[in-house]
Amino acid sequence: MKIKDEDIYLWYGNNAIEICGMLHVLAMLEEKIQNVRTINVSDITYNTGKRNEYTPRIVGELTPERLGQFIGIKQSMDSSRYSSLMSLWNQLKRENSNLRVYNDNKVKSVREDYFDEMILRYTCKKFMYSARTVGEFIGKAESYVSDSFIFWRIIELIKNGKVSYRGNLGVMSELEIKKA
């Protein structure tokens, strides 16, 4: 809150985690929005039209060499945009959901088991390390979901009898799973 007239850059991608983080910070910066610039890393697509076309889903997917390309796409915050974003933030806080996803260009609250069907799709019928299922899921998912969340859902699927396991239940790299 000691920020005076410095410019503030908030970087995010088209994913619920970073958008919610940005909304939280914006709520704290209410009186300083004239200094805020946002940069959406998902606004640039690399290798357009090629087999390896790629759009970053999270800021962490950028290499440091590419960071400079994004300064040109910064957006200034105005009162109308701020008001719209704070409306979304207040709605999300009221819903108080444990899981939010980025879908159809917006953040939505969903049930915790939202990804279970997709997790099961990438779970083999023979024992494989759970890290492989997690990696398959993350690689194929449209929107970003953390590996720790997917692993937690695997543990819940084990508890619900939908997945069998052997090995260390608390360590992703030591846990082998298969469809029950």
Side-chain angles (χ1 to χ4, degrees), residues 113-126 128 130 132-134 136-138 150 153-164 177-180:
D113 64 357
Y114 180 83
F115 292 113
D116 287 4
E117 187 177 309
M118 188 173 173
I119 292 169
L120 288 170
R121 193 175 324 139
Y122 296 114
T123 302
C124 296
K125 293 180 181 178
K126 62 179 184 158
M128 303 286 281
S130 61
R132 183 175 179 138
T133 299
V134 171
E136 279 285 316
F137 179 96
I138 290 172
I150 299 307
R153 289 310 305 163
I154 289 171
I155 300 300
E156 292 301 307
L157 289 166
I158 290 169
K159 289 178 185 175
N160 293 332
K162 295 183 179 181
V163 172
S164 299
I177 60 171
K178 71 175 184 173
K179 286 183 185 173

PDB file of all heavy atoms in Angstrom, residues 113-126 128 130 132-134 136-138 150 153-164 177-180:
ATOM      1  N   ASP A 113     -15.433 -32.137  -8.408  1.00  0.00           N
ATOM      2  CA  ASP A 113     -15.265 -33.323  -9.241  1.00  0.00           C
ATOM      3  C   ASP A 113     -15.364 -33.019 -10.741  1.00  0.00           C
ATOM      4  O   ASP A 113     -15.438 -33.923 -11.565  1.00  0.00           O
ATOM      5  CB  ASP A 113     -16.278 -34.408  -8.862  1.00  0.00           C
ATOM      6  CG  ASP A 113     -17.724 -33.997  -9.102  1.00  0.00           C
ATOM      7  OD1 ASP A 113     -17.994 -32.842  -9.507  1.00  0.00           O
ATOM      8  OD2 ASP A 113     -18.609 -34.847  -8.879  1.00  0.00           O
ATOM      9  N   TYR A 114     -15.303 -31.769 -11.090  1.00  0.00           N
ATOM     10  CA  TYR A 114     -15.450 -31.305 -12.476  1.00  0.00           C
ATOM     11  C   TYR A 114     -14.514 -32.039 -13.448  1.00  0.00           C
ATOM     12  O   TYR A 114     -14.897 -32.370 -14.557  1.00  0.00           O
ATOM     13  CB  TYR A 114     -15.188 -29.791 -12.517  1.00  0.00           C
ATOM     14  CG  TYR A 114     -15.307 -29.150 -13.878  1.00  0.00           C
ATOM     15  CD1 TYR A 114     -16.556 -28.785 -14.376  1.00  0.00           C
ATOM     16  CD2 TYR A 114     -14.189 -28.877 -14.647  1.00  0.00           C
ATOM     17  CE1 TYR A 114     -16.681 -28.172 -15.616  1.00  0.00           C
ATOM     18  CE2 TYR A 114     -14.303 -28.276 -15.883  1.00  0.00           C
ATOM     19  CZ  TYR A 114     -15.552 -27.919 -16.355  1.00  0.00           C
ATOM     20  OH  TYR A 114     -15.670 -27.315 -17.590  1.00  0.00           O
ATOM     21  N   PHE A 115     -13.288 -32.310 -13.035  1.00  0.00           N
ATOM     22  CA  PHE A 115     -12.297 -32.927 -13.912  1.00  0.00           C
ATOM     23  C   PHE A 115     -12.193 -34.440 -13.758  1.00  0.00           C
ATOM     24  O   PHE A 115     -11.398 -35.088 -14.449  1.00  0.00           O
ATOM     25  CB  PHE A 115     -10.910 -32.313 -13.668  1.00  0.00           C
ATOM     26  CG  PHE A 115     -10.799 -30.878 -14.093  1.00  0.00           C
ATOM     27  CD1 PHE A 115     -10.627 -29.882 -13.147  1.00  0.00           C
ATOM     28  CD2 PHE A 115     -10.860 -30.525 -15.433  1.00  0.00           C
ATOM     29  CE1 PHE A 115     -10.505 -28.557 -13.531  1.00  0.00           C
ATOM     30  CE2 PHE A 115     -10.749 -29.199 -15.827  1.00  0.00           C
ATOM     31  CZ  PHE A 115     -10.569 -28.208 -14.877  1.00  0.00           C
ATOM     32  N   ASP A 116     -12.973 -35.042 -12.875  1.00  0.00           N
ATOM     33  CA  ASP A 116     -12.819 -36.469 -12.580  1.00  0.00           C
ATOM     34  C   ASP A 116     -12.978 -37.355 -13.811  1.00  0.00           C
ATOM     35  O   ASP A 116     -12.210 -38.298 -14.006  1.00  0.00           O
ATOM     36  CB  ASP A 116     -13.794 -36.909 -11.492  1.00  0.00           C
ATOM     37  CG  ASP A 116     -13.397 -36.400 -10.114  1.00  0.00           C
ATOM     38  OD1 ASP A 116     -12.412 -35.639 -10.015  1.00  0.00           O
ATOM     39  OD2 ASP A 116     -14.090 -36.746  -9.140  1.00  0.00           O
ATOM     40  N   GLU A 117     -13.955 -37.080 -14.638  1.00  0.00           N
ATOM     41  CA  GLU A 117     -14.173 -37.897 -15.833  1.00  0.00           C
ATOM     42  C   GLU A 117     -12.950 -37.861 -16.754  1.00  0.00           C
ATOM     43  O   GLU A 117     -12.528 -38.886 -17.289  1.00  0.00           O
ATOM     44  CB  GLU A 117     -15.415 -37.408 -16.580  1.00  0.00           C
ATOM     45  CG  GLU A 117     -15.821 -38.282 -17.739  1.00  0.00           C
ATOM     46  CD  GLU A 117     -17.101 -37.803 -18.399  1.00  0.00           C
ATOM     47  OE1 GLU A 117     -18.102 -37.587 -17.687  1.00  0.00           O
ATOM     48  OE2 GLU A 117     -17.077 -37.630 -19.638  1.00  0.00           O
ATOM     49  N   MET A 118     -12.366 -36.678 -16.912  1.00  0.00           N
ATOM     50  CA  MET A 118     -11.184 -36.557 -17.767  1.00  0.00           C
ATOM     51  C   MET A 118      -9.984 -37.263 -17.129  1.00  0.00           C
ATOM     52  O   MET A 118      -9.191 -37.905 -17.821  1.00  0.00           O
ATOM     53  CB  MET A 118     -10.871 -35.089 -18.031  1.00  0.00           C
ATOM     54  CG  MET A 118      -9.787 -34.876 -19.052  1.00  0.00           C
ATOM     55  SD  MET A 118      -9.622 -33.119 -19.440  1.00  0.00           S
ATOM     56  CE  MET A 118      -8.174 -33.158 -20.462  1.00  0.00           C
ATOM     57  N   ILE A 119      -9.866 -37.176 -15.820  1.00  0.00           N
ATOM     58  CA  ILE A 119      -8.785 -37.883 -15.129  1.00  0.00           C
ATOM     59  C   ILE A 119      -8.926 -39.384 -15.365  1.00  0.00           C
ATOM     60  O   ILE A 119      -7.946 -40.064 -15.680  1.00  0.00           O
ATOM     61  CB  ILE A 119      -8.789 -37.563 -13.618  1.00  0.00           C
ATOM     62  CG1 ILE A 119      -8.414 -36.097 -13.382  1.00  0.00           C
ATOM     63  CG2 ILE A 119      -7.832 -38.502 -12.865  1.00  0.00           C
ATOM     64  CD1 ILE A 119      -8.652 -35.615 -11.967  1.00  0.00           C
ATOM     65  N   LEU A 120     -10.128 -39.888 -15.242  1.00  0.00           N
ATOM     66  CA  LEU A 120     -10.364 -41.317 -15.463  1.00  0.00           C
ATOM     67  C   LEU A 120     -10.065 -41.718 -16.906  1.00  0.00           C
ATOM     68  O   LEU A 120      -9.608 -42.829 -17.171  1.00  0.00           O
ATOM     69  CB  LEU A 120     -11.797 -41.685 -15.084  1.00  0.00           C
ATOM     70  CG  LEU A 120     -12.076 -41.686 -13.580  1.00  0.00           C
ATOM     71  CD1 LEU A 120     -13.571 -41.811 -13.311  1.00  0.00           C
ATOM     72  CD2 LEU A 120     -11.299 -42.777 -12.878  1.00  0.00           C
ATOM     73  N   ARG A 121     -10.318 -40.812 -17.845  1.00  0.00           N
ATOM     74  CA  ARG A 121     -10.018 -41.089 -19.250  1.00  0.00           C
ATOM     75  C   ARG A 121      -8.525 -41.339 -19.459  1.00  0.00           C
ATOM     76  O   ARG A 121      -8.123 -42.122 -20.313  1.00  0.00           O
ATOM     77  CB  ARG A 121     -10.488 -39.909 -20.109  1.00  0.00           C
ATOM     78  CG  ARG A 121     -10.530 -40.205 -21.590  1.00  0.00           C
ATOM     79  CD  ARG A 121     -11.102 -39.080 -22.425  1.00  0.00           C
ATOM     80  NE  ARG A 121     -12.181 -38.367 -21.768  1.00  0.00           N
ATOM     81  CZ  ARG A 121     -12.341 -37.030 -21.808  1.00  0.00           C
ATOM     82  NH1 ARG A 121     -11.508 -36.289 -22.484  1.00  0.00           N
ATOM     83  NH2 ARG A 121     -13.342 -36.456 -21.180  1.00  0.00           N
ATOM     84  N   TYR A 122      -7.679 -40.669 -18.681  1.00  0.00           N
ATOM     85  CA  TYR A 122      -6.229 -40.816 -18.822  1.00  0.00           C
ATOM     86  C   TYR A 122      -5.637 -41.794 -17.812  1.00  0.00           C
ATOM     87  O   TYR A 122      -4.423 -41.909 -17.694  1.00  0.00           O
ATOM     88  CB  TYR A 122      -5.542 -39.457 -18.742  1.00  0.00           C
ATOM     89  CG  TYR A 122      -5.945 -38.570 -19.887  1.00  0.00           C
ATOM     90  CD1 TYR A 122      -6.684 -37.417 -19.677  1.00  0.00           C
ATOM     91  CD2 TYR A 122      -5.632 -38.921 -21.195  1.00  0.00           C
ATOM     92  CE1 TYR A 122      -7.077 -36.625 -20.740  1.00  0.00           C
ATOM     93  CE2 TYR A 122      -6.030 -38.142 -22.255  1.00  0.00           C
ATOM     94  CZ  TYR A 122      -6.754 -36.990 -22.023  1.00  0.00           C
ATOM     95  OH  TYR A 122      -7.149 -36.221 -23.075  1.00  0.00           O
ATOM     96  N   THR A 123      -6.492 -42.481 -17.072  1.00  0.00           N
ATOM     97  CA  THR A 123      -6.045 -43.506 -16.142  1.00  0.00           C
ATOM     98  C   THR A 123      -6.148 -44.856 -16.850  1.00  0.00           C
ATOM     99  O   THR A 123      -7.208 -45.219 -17.353  1.00  0.00           O
ATOM    100  CB  THR A 123      -6.915 -43.497 -14.869  1.00  0.00           C
ATOM    101  OG1 THR A 123      -6.856 -42.200 -14.271  1.00  0.00           O
ATOM    102  CG2 THR A 123      -6.430 -44.530 -13.868  1.00  0.00           C
ATOM    103  N   CYS A 124      -5.046 -45.580 -16.881  1.00  0.00           N
ATOM    104  CA  CYS A 124      -4.985 -46.860 -17.616  1.00  0.00           C
ATOM    105  C   CYS A 124      -5.699 -47.984 -16.862  1.00  0.00           C
ATOM    106  O   CYS A 124      -6.019 -47.860 -15.689  1.00  0.00           O
ATOM    107  CB  CYS A 124      -3.528 -47.246 -17.842  1.00  0.00           C
ATOM    108  SG  CYS A 124      -2.641 -46.082 -18.886  1.00  0.00           S
ATOM    109  N   LYS A 125      -5.880 -49.103 -17.572  1.00  0.00           N
ATOM    110  CA  LYS A 125      -6.493 -50.292 -16.977  1.00  0.00           C
ATOM    111  C   LYS A 125      -5.453 -51.172 -16.297  1.00  0.00           C
ATOM    112  O   LYS A 125      -5.793 -52.139 -15.635  1.00  0.00           O
ATOM    113  CB  LYS A 125      -7.255 -51.083 -18.043  1.00  0.00           C
ATOM    114  CG  LYS A 125      -8.456 -50.328 -18.567  1.00  0.00           C
ATOM    115  CD  LYS A 125      -9.193 -51.113 -19.619  1.00  0.00           C
ATOM    116  CE  LYS A 125     -10.367 -50.275 -20.121  1.00  0.00           C
ATOM    117  NZ  LYS A 125     -11.099 -50.950 -21.179  1.00  0.00           N
ATOM    118  N   LYS A 126      -4.182 -50.851 -16.498  1.00  0.00           N
ATOM    119  CA  LYS A 126      -3.115 -51.548 -15.790  1.00  0.00           C
ATOM    120  C   LYS A 126      -2.343 -50.514 -14.970  1.00  0.00           C
ATOM    121  O   LYS A 126      -2.408 -49.309 -15.253  1.00  0.00           O
ATOM    122  CB  LYS A 126      -2.191 -52.288 -16.754  1.00  0.00           C
ATOM    123  CG  LYS A 126      -1.476 -51.375 -17.728  1.00  0.00           C
ATOM    124  CD  LYS A 126      -0.557 -52.159 -18.638  1.00  0.00           C
ATOM    125  CE  LYS A 126       0.198 -51.159 -19.502  1.00  0.00           C
ATOM    126  NZ  LYS A 126       1.414 -51.659 -20.037  1.00  0.00           N
ATOM    127  N   MET A 128       0.032 -47.910 -13.626  1.00  0.00           N
ATOM    128  CA  MET A 128       1.000 -46.934 -14.152  1.00  0.00           C
ATOM    129  C   MET A 128       1.207 -45.899 -13.047  1.00  0.00           C
ATOM    130  O   MET A 128       0.328 -45.672 -12.225  1.00  0.00           O
ATOM    131  CB  MET A 128       0.462 -46.232 -15.398  1.00  0.00           C
ATOM    132  CG  MET A 128       0.061 -47.147 -16.537  1.00  0.00           C
ATOM    133  SD  MET A 128       1.456 -47.842 -17.397  1.00  0.00           S
ATOM    134  CE  MET A 128       1.938 -46.510 -18.423  1.00  0.00           C
ATOM    135  N   SER A 130       1.088 -42.547 -11.147  1.00  0.00           N
ATOM    136  CA  SER A 130       0.080 -41.481 -11.185  1.00  0.00           C
ATOM    137  C   SER A 130       0.625 -40.227 -11.859  1.00  0.00           C
ATOM    138  O   SER A 130      -0.135 -39.472 -12.469  1.00  0.00           O
ATOM    139  CB  SER A 130      -0.420 -41.148  -9.778  1.00  0.00           C
ATOM    140  OG  SER A 130       0.632 -40.680  -8.955  1.00  0.00           O
ATOM    141  N   ARG A 132       2.191 -40.043 -14.515  1.00  0.00           N
ATOM    142  CA  ARG A 132       1.907 -40.152 -15.947  1.00  0.00           C
ATOM    143  C   ARG A 132       0.480 -39.686 -16.263  1.00  0.00           C
ATOM    144  O   ARG A 132       0.246 -38.974 -17.226  1.00  0.00           O
ATOM    145  CB  ARG A 132       2.122 -41.585 -16.410  1.00  0.00           C
ATOM    146  CG  ARG A 132       1.909 -41.742 -17.895  1.00  0.00           C
ATOM    147  CD  ARG A 132       2.240 -43.138 -18.344  1.00  0.00           C
ATOM    148  NE  ARG A 132       1.986 -43.244 -19.769  1.00  0.00           N
ATOM    149  CZ  ARG A 132       2.764 -43.863 -20.603  1.00  0.00           C
ATOM    150  NH1 ARG A 132       3.856 -44.445 -20.173  1.00  0.00           N
ATOM    151  NH2 ARG A 132       2.464 -43.920 -21.869  1.00  0.00           N
ATOM    152  N   THR A 133      -0.477 -40.111 -15.425  1.00  0.00           N
ATOM    153  CA  THR A 133      -1.868 -39.664 -15.596  1.00  0.00           C
ATOM    154  C   THR A 133      -1.960 -38.156 -15.430  1.00  0.00           C
ATOM    155  O   THR A 133      -2.618 -37.473 -16.221  1.00  0.00           O
ATOM    156  CB  THR A 133      -2.791 -40.374 -14.579  1.00  0.00           C
ATOM    157  OG1 THR A 133      -2.729 -41.779 -14.801  1.00  0.00           O
ATOM    158  CG2 THR A 133      -4.224 -39.894 -14.711  1.00  0.00           C
ATOM    159  N   VAL A 134      -1.297 -37.634 -14.415  1.00  0.00           N
ATOM    160  CA  VAL A 134      -1.305 -36.189 -14.180  1.00  0.00           C
ATOM    161  C   VAL A 134      -0.717 -35.461 -15.387  1.00  0.00           C
ATOM    162  O   VAL A 134      -1.283 -34.476 -15.878  1.00  0.00           O
ATOM    163  CB  VAL A 134      -0.535 -35.831 -12.887  1.00  0.00           C
ATOM    164  CG1 VAL A 134      -0.354 -34.326 -12.758  1.00  0.00           C
ATOM    165  CG2 VAL A 134      -1.266 -36.392 -11.673  1.00  0.00           C
ATOM    166  N   GLU A 136      -0.441 -36.516 -18.547  1.00  0.00           N
ATOM    167  CA  GLU A 136      -1.359 -36.644 -19.693  1.00  0.00           C
ATOM    168  C   GLU A 136      -2.493 -35.634 -19.577  1.00  0.00           C
ATOM    169  O   GLU A 136      -2.848 -34.964 -20.537  1.00  0.00           O
ATOM    170  CB  GLU A 136      -1.964 -38.056 -19.749  1.00  0.00           C
ATOM    171  CG  GLU A 136      -1.081 -39.088 -20.356  1.00  0.00           C
ATOM    172  CD  GLU A 136      -0.988 -38.980 -21.867  1.00  0.00           C
ATOM    173  OE1 GLU A 136      -2.012 -38.796 -22.551  1.00  0.00           O
ATOM    174  OE2 GLU A 136       0.140 -39.084 -22.358  1.00  0.00           O
ATOM    175  N   PHE A 137      -3.055 -35.548 -18.381  1.00  0.00           N
ATOM    176  CA  PHE A 137      -4.164 -34.620 -18.156  1.00  0.00           C
ATOM    177  C   PHE A 137      -3.741 -33.186 -18.453  1.00  0.00           C
ATOM    178  O   PHE A 137      -4.395 -32.481 -19.213  1.00  0.00           O
ATOM    179  CB  PHE A 137      -4.679 -34.732 -16.717  1.00  0.00           C
ATOM    180  CG  PHE A 137      -5.803 -33.792 -16.433  1.00  0.00           C
ATOM    181  CD1 PHE A 137      -7.111 -34.222 -16.523  1.00  0.00           C
ATOM    182  CD2 PHE A 137      -5.568 -32.459 -16.112  1.00  0.00           C
ATOM    183  CE1 PHE A 137      -8.160 -33.349 -16.289  1.00  0.00           C
ATOM    184  CE2 PHE A 137      -6.602 -31.585 -15.881  1.00  0.00           C
ATOM    185  CZ  PHE A 137      -7.905 -32.025 -15.970  1.00  0.00           C
ATOM    186  N   ILE A 138      -2.641 -32.773 -17.847  1.00  0.00           N
ATOM    187  CA  ILE A 138      -2.185 -31.389 -18.015  1.00  0.00           C
ATOM    188  C   ILE A 138      -1.864 -31.097 -19.476  1.00  0.00           C
ATOM    189  O   ILE A 138      -2.192 -30.035 -19.994  1.00  0.00           O
ATOM    190  CB  ILE A 138      -0.981 -31.095 -17.098  1.00  0.00           C
ATOM    191  CG1 ILE A 138      -1.456 -31.057 -15.637  1.00  0.00           C
ATOM    192  CG2 ILE A 138      -0.290 -29.787 -17.473  1.00  0.00           C
ATOM    193  CD1 ILE A 138      -0.352 -30.970 -14.623  1.00  0.00           C
ATOM    194  N   ILE A 150      -4.841 -32.029  -9.538  1.00  0.00           N
ATOM    195  CA  ILE A 150      -5.155 -33.281 -10.225  1.00  0.00           C
ATOM    196  C   ILE A 150      -4.766 -34.471  -9.343  1.00  0.00           C
ATOM    197  O   ILE A 150      -5.517 -35.444  -9.230  1.00  0.00           O
ATOM    198  CB  ILE A 150      -4.448 -33.360 -11.601  1.00  0.00           C
ATOM    199  CG1 ILE A 150      -4.920 -32.209 -12.498  1.00  0.00           C
ATOM    200  CG2 ILE A 150      -4.709 -34.708 -12.273  1.00  0.00           C
ATOM    201  CD1 ILE A 150      -6.419 -32.087 -12.651  1.00  0.00           C
ATOM    202  N   ARG A 153      -7.328 -34.960  -6.720  1.00  0.00           N
ATOM    203  CA  ARG A 153      -8.540 -35.599  -7.256  1.00  0.00           C
ATOM    204  C   ARG A 153      -8.312 -37.100  -7.473  1.00  0.00           C
ATOM    205  O   ARG A 153      -9.230 -37.897  -7.286  1.00  0.00           O
ATOM    206  CB  ARG A 153      -8.995 -34.939  -8.559  1.00  0.00           C
ATOM    207  CG  ARG A 153      -9.577 -33.561  -8.377  1.00  0.00           C
ATOM    208  CD  ARG A 153     -10.637 -33.448  -7.303  1.00  0.00           C
ATOM    209  NE  ARG A 153     -11.740 -34.395  -7.492  1.00  0.00           N
ATOM    210  CZ  ARG A 153     -12.615 -34.732  -6.533  1.00  0.00           C
ATOM    211  NH1 ARG A 153     -12.531 -34.199  -5.338  1.00  0.00           N
ATOM    212  NH2 ARG A 153     -13.573 -35.595  -6.782  1.00  0.00           N
ATOM    213  N   ILE A 154      -7.101 -37.493  -7.841  1.00  0.00           N
ATOM    214  CA  ILE A 154      -6.796 -38.924  -7.969  1.00  0.00           C
ATOM    215  C   ILE A 154      -6.958 -39.605  -6.608  1.00  0.00           C
ATOM    216  O   ILE A 154      -7.554 -40.685  -6.510  1.00  0.00           O
ATOM    217  CB  ILE A 154      -5.383 -39.144  -8.552  1.00  0.00           C
ATOM    218  CG1 ILE A 154      -5.365 -38.756 -10.037  1.00  0.00           C
ATOM    219  CG2 ILE A 154      -4.918 -40.583  -8.352  1.00  0.00           C
ATOM    220  CD1 ILE A 154      -3.988 -38.734 -10.669  1.00  0.00           C
ATOM    221  N   ILE A 155      -6.462 -38.975  -5.564  1.00  0.00           N
ATOM    222  CA  ILE A 155      -6.609 -39.530  -4.209  1.00  0.00           C
ATOM    223  C   ILE A 155      -8.098 -39.661  -3.863  1.00  0.00           C
ATOM    224  O   ILE A 155      -8.528 -40.674  -3.298  1.00  0.00           O
ATOM    225  CB  ILE A 155      -5.877 -38.653  -3.160  1.00  0.00           C
ATOM    226  CG1 ILE A 155      -4.379 -38.558  -3.470  1.00  0.00           C
ATOM    227  CG2 ILE A 155      -6.134 -39.166  -1.744  1.00  0.00           C
ATOM    228  CD1 ILE A 155      -3.645 -39.865  -3.481  1.00  0.00           C
ATOM    229  N   GLU A 156      -8.891 -38.660  -4.219  1.00  0.00           N
ATOM    230  CA  GLU A 156     -10.334 -38.722  -3.964  1.00  0.00           C
ATOM    231  C   GLU A 156     -10.988 -39.841  -4.771  1.00  0.00           C
ATOM    232  O   GLU A 156     -11.893 -40.520  -4.277  1.00  0.00           O
ATOM    233  CB  GLU A 156     -10.998 -37.377  -4.282  1.00  0.00           C
ATOM    234  CG  GLU A 156     -10.590 -36.258  -3.336  1.00  0.00           C
ATOM    235  CD  GLU A 156     -10.926 -36.564  -1.888  1.00  0.00           C
ATOM    236  OE1 GLU A 156     -12.091 -36.891  -1.591  1.00  0.00           O
ATOM    237  OE2 GLU A 156     -10.006 -36.487  -1.040  1.00  0.00           O
ATOM    238  N   LEU A 157     -10.546 -40.045  -6.010  1.00  0.00           N
ATOM    239  CA  LEU A 157     -11.081 -41.142  -6.827  1.00  0.00           C
ATOM    240  C   LEU A 157     -10.710 -42.499  -6.219  1.00  0.00           C
ATOM    241  O   LEU A 157     -11.486 -43.458  -6.295  1.00  0.00           O
ATOM    242  CB  LEU A 157     -10.576 -41.030  -8.271  1.00  0.00           C
ATOM    243  CG  LEU A 157     -11.186 -39.878  -9.079  1.00  0.00           C
ATOM    244  CD1 LEU A 157     -10.394 -39.640 -10.366  1.00  0.00           C
ATOM    245  CD2 LEU A 157     -12.652 -40.146  -9.388  1.00  0.00           C
ATOM    246  N   ILE A 158      -9.545 -42.582  -5.604  1.00  0.00           N
ATOM    247  CA  ILE A 158      -9.147 -43.807  -4.891  1.00  0.00           C
ATOM    248  C   ILE A 158     -10.092 -44.026  -3.708  1.00  0.00           C
ATOM    249  O   ILE A 158     -10.624 -45.122  -3.511  1.00  0.00           O
ATOM    250  CB  ILE A 158      -7.674 -43.724  -4.432  1.00  0.00           C
ATOM    251  CG1 ILE A 158      -6.743 -43.798  -5.647  1.00  0.00           C
ATOM    252  CG2 ILE A 158      -7.351 -44.819  -3.419  1.00  0.00           C
ATOM    253  CD1 ILE A 158      -5.290 -43.472  -5.341  1.00  0.00           C
ATOM    254  N   LYS A 159     -10.326 -42.974  -2.925  1.00  0.00           N
ATOM    255  CA  LYS A 159     -11.224 -43.070  -1.767  1.00  0.00           C
ATOM    256  C   LYS A 159     -12.632 -43.480  -2.181  1.00  0.00           C
ATOM    257  O   LYS A 159     -13.321 -44.176  -1.440  1.00  0.00           O
ATOM    258  CB  LYS A 159     -11.278 -41.734  -1.025  1.00  0.00           C
ATOM    259  CG  LYS A 159     -10.018 -41.385  -0.283  1.00  0.00           C
ATOM    260  CD  LYS A 159     -10.143 -40.026   0.373  1.00  0.00           C
ATOM    261  CE  LYS A 159      -8.855 -39.593   1.035  1.00  0.00           C
ATOM    262  NZ  LYS A 159      -8.970 -38.226   1.571  1.00  0.00           N
ATOM    263  N   ASN A 160     -13.064 -43.038  -3.371  1.00  0.00           N
ATOM    264  CA  ASN A 160     -14.409 -43.349  -3.867  1.00  0.00           C
ATOM    265  C   ASN A 160     -14.479 -44.688  -4.595  1.00  0.00           C
ATOM    266  O   ASN A 160     -15.525 -45.043  -5.143  1.00  0.00           O
ATOM    267  CB  ASN A 160     -14.909 -42.236  -4.786  1.00  0.00           C
ATOM    268  CG  ASN A 160     -15.146 -40.941  -4.043  1.00  0.00           C
ATOM    269  OD1 ASN A 160     -15.446 -40.943  -2.859  1.00  0.00           O
ATOM    270  ND2 ASN A 160     -15.002 -39.823  -4.734  1.00  0.00           N
ATOM    271  N   GLY A 161     -13.359 -45.415  -4.667  1.00  0.00           N
ATOM    272  CA  GLY A 161     -13.349 -46.734  -5.259  1.00  0.00           C
ATOM    273  C   GLY A 161     -13.323 -46.758  -6.782  1.00  0.00           C
ATOM    274  O   GLY A 161     -13.496 -47.812  -7.387  1.00  0.00           O
ATOM    275  N   LYS A 162     -13.060 -45.629  -7.424  1.00  0.00           N
ATOM    276  CA  LYS A 162     -13.024 -45.582  -8.886  1.00  0.00           C
ATOM    277  C   LYS A 162     -11.629 -45.861  -9.437  1.00  0.00           C
ATOM    278  O   LYS A 162     -11.472 -46.147 -10.618  1.00  0.00           O
ATOM    279  CB  LYS A 162     -13.530 -44.226  -9.385  1.00  0.00           C
ATOM    280  CG  LYS A 162     -14.994 -44.004  -9.067  1.00  0.00           C
ATOM    281  CD  LYS A 162     -15.497 -42.703  -9.612  1.00  0.00           C
ATOM    282  CE  LYS A 162     -16.980 -42.547  -9.278  1.00  0.00           C
ATOM    283  NZ  LYS A 162     -17.523 -41.321  -9.806  1.00  0.00           N
ATOM    284  N   VAL A 163     -10.626 -45.766  -8.569  1.00  0.00           N
ATOM    285  CA  VAL A 163      -9.237 -46.004  -8.954  1.00  0.00           C
ATOM    286  C   VAL A 163      -8.599 -46.898  -7.894  1.00  0.00           C
ATOM    287  O   VAL A 163      -8.803 -46.687  -6.698  1.00  0.00           O
ATOM    288  CB  VAL A 163      -8.468 -44.664  -9.083  1.00  0.00           C
ATOM    289  CG1 VAL A 163      -6.983 -44.896  -9.278  1.00  0.00           C
ATOM    290  CG2 VAL A 163      -9.035 -43.815 -10.212  1.00  0.00           C
ATOM    291  N   SER A 164      -7.846 -47.884  -8.347  1.00  0.00           N
ATOM    292  CA  SER A 164      -7.079 -48.757  -7.443  1.00  0.00           C
ATOM    293  C   SER A 164      -5.639 -48.247  -7.402  1.00  0.00           C
ATOM    294  O   SER A 164      -5.177 -47.610  -8.348  1.00  0.00           O
ATOM    295  CB  SER A 164      -7.079 -50.195  -7.968  1.00  0.00           C
ATOM    296  OG  SER A 164      -8.393 -50.695  -8.038  1.00  0.00           O
ATOM    297  N   ILE A 177      -1.367 -46.303 -10.166  1.00  0.00           N
ATOM    298  CA  ILE A 177      -2.822 -46.352 -10.165  1.00  0.00           C
ATOM    299  C   ILE A 177      -3.330 -47.060 -11.423  1.00  0.00           C
ATOM    300  O   ILE A 177      -2.623 -47.177 -12.407  1.00  0.00           O
ATOM    301  CB  ILE A 177      -3.440 -44.930 -10.106  1.00  0.00           C
ATOM    302  CG1 ILE A 177      -3.006 -44.092 -11.303  1.00  0.00           C
ATOM    303  CG2 ILE A 177      -3.112 -44.257  -8.778  1.00  0.00           C
ATOM    304  CD1 ILE A 177      -3.730 -42.751 -11.439  1.00  0.00           C
ATOM    305  N   LYS A 178      -4.574 -47.535 -11.327  1.00  0.00           N
ATOM    306  CA  LYS A 178      -5.282 -48.073 -12.470  1.00  0.00           C
ATOM    307  C   LYS A 178      -6.771 -47.904 -12.216  1.00  0.00           C
ATOM    308  O   LYS A 178      -7.198 -47.719 -11.072  1.00  0.00           O
ATOM    309  CB  LYS A 178      -4.935 -49.550 -12.719  1.00  0.00           C
ATOM    310  CG  LYS A 178      -5.505 -50.501 -11.681  1.00  0.00           C
ATOM    311  CD  LYS A 178      -5.225 -51.938 -12.068  1.00  0.00           C
ATOM    312  CE  LYS A 178      -5.903 -52.877 -11.066  1.00  0.00           C
ATOM    313  NZ  LYS A 178      -5.803 -54.270 -11.473  1.00  0.00           N
ATOM    314  N   LYS A 179      -7.564 -47.978 -13.285  1.00  0.00           N
ATOM    315  CA  LYS A 179      -9.011 -47.921 -13.121  1.00  0.00           C
ATOM    316  C   LYS A 179      -9.459 -49.104 -12.296  1.00  0.00           C
ATOM    317  O   LYS A 179      -8.965 -50.215 -12.478  1.00  0.00           O
ATOM    318  CB  LYS A 179      -9.717 -47.938 -14.475  1.00  0.00           C
ATOM    319  CG  LYS A 179      -9.610 -46.647 -15.231  1.00  0.00           C
ATOM    320  CD  LYS A 179     -10.395 -46.713 -16.523  1.00  0.00           C
ATOM    321  CE  LYS A 179     -10.163 -45.442 -17.309  1.00  0.00           C
ATOM    322  NZ  LYS A 179     -10.756 -45.501 -18.633  1.00  0.00           N
ATOM    323  N   ALA A 180     -10.392 -48.887 -11.409  1.00  0.00           N
ATOM    324  CA  ALA A 180     -10.894 -49.969 -10.548  1.00  0.00           C
ATOM    325  C   ALA A 180     -11.820 -50.879 -11.331  1.00  0.00           C
ATOM    326  O   ALA A 180     -12.403 -50.526 -12.305  1.00  0.00           O
ATOM    327  CB  ALA A 180     -11.620 -49.380  -9.344  1.00  0.00           C
TER     328      ALA A 180
END
